[in-house]
Amino acid sequence: MNYKPDKATLTSFIYGELSKEEQEKVKTYLADHPELKKEVEEIRSLQKFMGGFQDKEVVEPLFVLDDTPRIIVSGNRKLDGFVKGTLAIAASIAVLILVGYFTSFSISTSAGGFHVSFGSFSPQEQPTAELNEESIKSWMQETLEASNENLINKINGVEYDLEAQSRQLTALRTVDKQSVNKMDEELLDSYVSQIKQENRDIIVNLLEVAGRDQKLYIDELMRDFANYVETKRQNDLKVIQAHLNSLANSGLNQLEDLHNSD
Amino acid sequence: MCADSLLDIAMLHADNIITKAKEGDKKALNQLVSLWYKRIYNYALKYCGDPDTTDEVTQQTFIAMFRNIKNLKDADRFKSWLYRIATNYCYEESRKRQRNPTVPLTISRDDNESDGSDAIEAKGVFFNPEKKYNQLEIEGILLSSLGELNEGERTVVIMKEYEGLKFTEIAHVLDASENTVKTRLYRGLKNLKDILERKNITKETVHYEL
């Protein structure tokens, strides 16, 4: 028996495109050649793994169709850039404020000159970087409000796009209505409902992403705050421990002095 | 893989639209863009691997479609014809990128934006961020591994596995025989498997059988 399936035949076998008779021949051959059988099985597993790569959603740009077809960069992309830019600036400022707040960054002038410092400038004063519940609440409130504002901006942007698309579709429907035959009408309806579905998905997606980002941000914020409190507690404990050690040492010294004097 | 939405059904019954588009009907041309943009974009994304090049390839493909559709002889071959244009632009952009490698200064819009699967998952109460993370990780690994295949193998693997083209259609796109396509596909899948194994992605390490 000299039968040996070539790669093309094996591909047809994998995709189930062989006749029953030929399929049996390949199966028999594979049963006698475990190495090749393993390879075929691994390729089948790979196909399942590849199925995990889902299609990306994409909104087509506007094409201008004249003698030289070209693309208009769609409005939402510009809006995206603007929103992203604004968000980036706002985020940078927020980070600077946060860093300044936590490090007690201060700039001051006095008779001694111009001072840029982290923490309190006066050497007599102890650092008073204590946070009370009220300040944290108000700070978190501000952060959430800023975040909500960004979210509203994004939603406004999407609404703007939806309106534009809706206007475009309405125009499409009205133009040359007489000439549109029934099949086109059905196709257009299905296309409109598809676009509506996609738009709904985009909004749901946007809300989900914004909500998740907000949650992550708050989580991170709380974790940082917890770390800060923990570090402060550790430092306080060390100071207390140092004082206790010093107290113990002085007690021992006093006892020793008493003992020597006796 | 893709005959499951209204859009896909419309794609299969677009002969009338193609005929009108060939006559220069702008509405029909726009309908073709709406029907095919997502498919071509996802094809190019898997081939090129980065969203900026993908945008470029997809837009060039449709501009070429507008310019040349009047020369398309057989409306039944529209799909193969469109994929051939996209494939040529993929090759061209890929080679350009190899000659002049660039590093983007900004994170592309599409890197951060999540895909439609988010929306689907968000509808459920049991949204699983870990699953989503794994999904993105798998996609990243697959994209980079596909990028390691040679041009011919990569094209055939993507067309068959992700675009669901028939062997005849792929043969038309590549101007090759069906047997050549099948042989190339087998080699491509085997090489892809080997690449993934080198990255320690196997049946045992990733539970992708579920």
Side-chain angles (χ1 to χ4, degrees):
Chain A
M1 179 157 161
N2 292 325
Y3 176 76
K4 186 186 176 190
D6 58 12
K7 289 186 171 61
T9 310
L10 286 172
T11 304
S12 301
F13 175 75
I14 289 167
Y15 286 90
E17 292 190 2
L18 286 180
S19 66
K20 208 171 178 183
E21 188 186 331
E22 210 161 353
Q23 206 168 340
E24 284 306 317
K25 274 164 78 178
V26 176
K27 271 185 188 170
T28 313
Y29 183 85
L30 291 179
D32 295 338
H33 297 80
E35 284 277 307
L36 191 60
K37 189 180 177 188
K38 186 169 173 266
E39 190 173 284
V40 168
E41 279 168 3
E42 282 172 344
I43 286 175
R44 280 183 166 152
S45 294
L46 170 70
Q47 288 177 308
K48 286 179 190 165
F49 178 63
M50 291 174 79
F53 196 153
Q54 292 167 354
D55 279 346
K56 304 285 174 205
E57 291 302 326
V58 60
V59 178
E60 63 265 23
L62 288 175
F63 286 90
V64 176
L65 303 175
D66 49 20
D67 293 339
T68 51
R70 61 191 185 278
I71 295 159
I72 297 178
V73 176
S74 57
N76 63 335
R77 186 170 293 199
K78 278 184 181 169
L79 197 66
D80 280 353
F82 174 73
V83 172
K84 276 172 82 174
T86 312
L87 284 176
I89 293 167
S92 307
I93 292 170
V95 167
L96 284 175
I97 291 170
L98 277 177
V99 169
Y101 183 82
F102 278 114
T103 55
S104 302
F105 178 76
S106 67
I107 301 172
S108 59
T109 52
S110 68
F114 180 75
H115 306 285
V116 177
S117 61
F118 291 99
S120 175
F121 170 62
S122 170
Q124 284 80 28
E125 288 177 17
Q126 291 299 315
T128 54
E130 287 181 14
L131 293 172
N132 59 35
E133 195 180 337
E134 279 306 308
S135 66
I136 289 170
K137 273 184 184 170
S138 68
W139 178 53
M140 280 176 68
Q141 184 64 29
E142 280 170 22
T143 314
L144 285 174
E145 277 170 9
S147 176
N148 283 339
E149 200 177 326
N150 288 335
L151 182 61
I152 287 164
N153 283 340
K154 276 187 181 176
I155 289 171
N156 286 341
V158 172
E159 277 176 357
Y160 175 80
D161 285 349
L162 288 180
E163 275 174 26
Q165 280 190 1
S166 169
R167 276 200 301 276
Q168 198 185 346
L169 285 171
T170 312
L172 204 66
R173 274 172 175 275
T174 51
V175 169
D176 203 13
K177 207 161 189 171
Q178 314 297 322
S179 66
V180 176
N181 61 29
K182 202 182 170 190
M183 189 181 165
D184 282 350
E185 197 70 25
E186 283 170 10
L187 192 65
L188 197 61
D189 282 340
S190 64
Y191 177 45
V192 169
S193 61
Q194 181 76 24
I195 287 177
K196 278 182 184 167
Q197 178 61 37
E198 281 173 2
N199 288 338
R200 195 162 60 237
D201 288 349
I202 289 169
I203 292 176
V204 171
N205 187 16
L206 182 65
L207 289 172
E208 168 64 17
V209 171
R212 201 173 52 209
D213 285 353
Q214 202 171 23
K215 187 175 175 302
L216 282 172
Y217 182 70
I218 296 296
D219 284 351
E220 203 175 326
L221 200 68
M222 296 311 291
R223 203 165 44 245
D224 287 349
F225 180 63
N227 288 339
Y228 166 76
V229 171
E230 178 61 21
T231 313
K232 195 168 185 305
R233 194 178 70 87
Q234 295 288 348
N235 288 340
D236 288 347
L237 284 174
K238 280 179 189 167
V239 171
I240 292 168
Q241 186 64 46
H243 280 296
L244 285 174
N245 289 342
S246 145
L247 201 64
N249 286 337
S250 67
L252 281 172
N253 289 339
Q254 279 177 2
L255 276 174
E256 205 173 327
D257 290 345
L258 276 173
H259 184 69
N260 289 340
S261 64
D262 287 343
Chain B
M1 154 163 197
C2 48
D4 53 2
S5 69
L6 278 172
L7 217 61
D8 299 321
I9 294 162
M11 280 156 76
L12 295 173
H13 299 93
D15 290 357
N16 193 24
I17 303 173
I18 295 166
T19 311
K20 283 185 178 176
K22 271 164 66 67
E23 290 161 4
D25 184 330
K26 289 181 180 175
K27 196 176 74 179
L29 285 165
N30 273 321
Q31 282 177 323
L32 285 178
V33 175
S34 299
L35 288 172
W36 284 96
Y37 201 86
K38 183 180 167 189
R39 285 265 47 83
I40 295 299
Y41 178 91
N42 278 283
Y43 169 66
L45 178 66
K46 288 179 184 85
Y47 189 92
C48 303
D50 83 279
D52 290 334
T53 316
T54 302
D55 277 337
E56 186 69 28
V57 165
T58 315
Q59 290 166 9
Q60 283 177 336
T61 300
F62 283 97
I63 288 175
M65 182 196 88
F66 294 143
R67 284 183 181 144
N68 301 310
I69 195 164
K70 57 180 180 294
N71 301 326
L72 176 66
K73 284 175 190 161
D74 185 357
D76 291 341
R77 294 273 180 101
F78 174 78
K79 188 177 177 183
S80 310
W81 178 75
L82 190 63
Y83 273 101
R84 183 188 288 209
I85 298 174
T87 304
N88 287 338
Y89 278 120
C90 281
Y91 288 171
E92 194 180 311
E93 284 299 322
S94 239
R95 284 168 194 162
K96 259 193 228 169
R97 222 169 16 149
Q98 277 172 1
R99 281 196 300 270
N100 309 304
T102 55
V103 177
L105 292 173
T106 54
I107 297 170
S108 168
R109 167 178 61 98
D110 300 310
D111 288 342
N112 274 346
E113 275 186 5
S114 33
D115 55 25
S117 58
D118 264 348
I120 294 159
E121 283 172 285
K123 286 174 191 163
V125 183
F126 303 106
F127 172 67
N128 185 343
E130 190 187 348
K131 191 179 164 196
K132 183 66 197 165
Y133 176 78
N134 288 338
Q135 164 82 20
L136 291 175
E137 205 176 9
I138 286 172
E139 288 179 5
I141 291 166
L142 273 169
L143 266 189
S144 68
S145 304
L146 282 168
E148 289 180 42
L149 292 177
N150 68 39
E151 270 182 359
E153 290 171 358
R154 199 188 321 168
T155 310
V156 174
V157 168
I158 298 169
M159 279 184 186
K160 187 66 191 169
E161 285 298 320
Y162 290 113
E163 297 307 308
L165 265 67
K166 294 173 189 153
F167 286 117
T168 333
E169 290 171 328
I170 302 175
H172 285 152
V173 174
L174 301 176
D175 211 5
S177 72
E178 276 188 51
N179 253 14
T180 308
V181 170
K182 285 177 183 174
T183 307
R184 208 179 281 177
L185 178 62
Y186 190 89
R187 279 202 203 112
L189 289 171
K190 188 177 176 304
N191 287 339
L192 187 61
K193 176 183 76 71
D194 293 341
I195 291 165
L196 287 167
E197 273 174 9
R198 281 203 299 277
K199 295 179 179 178
N200 204 25
I201 305 292
T202 63
K203 209 164 105 178
E204 286 73 31
T205 55
V206 181
H207 302 287
Y208 52 79
E209 282 195 306
L210 296 173

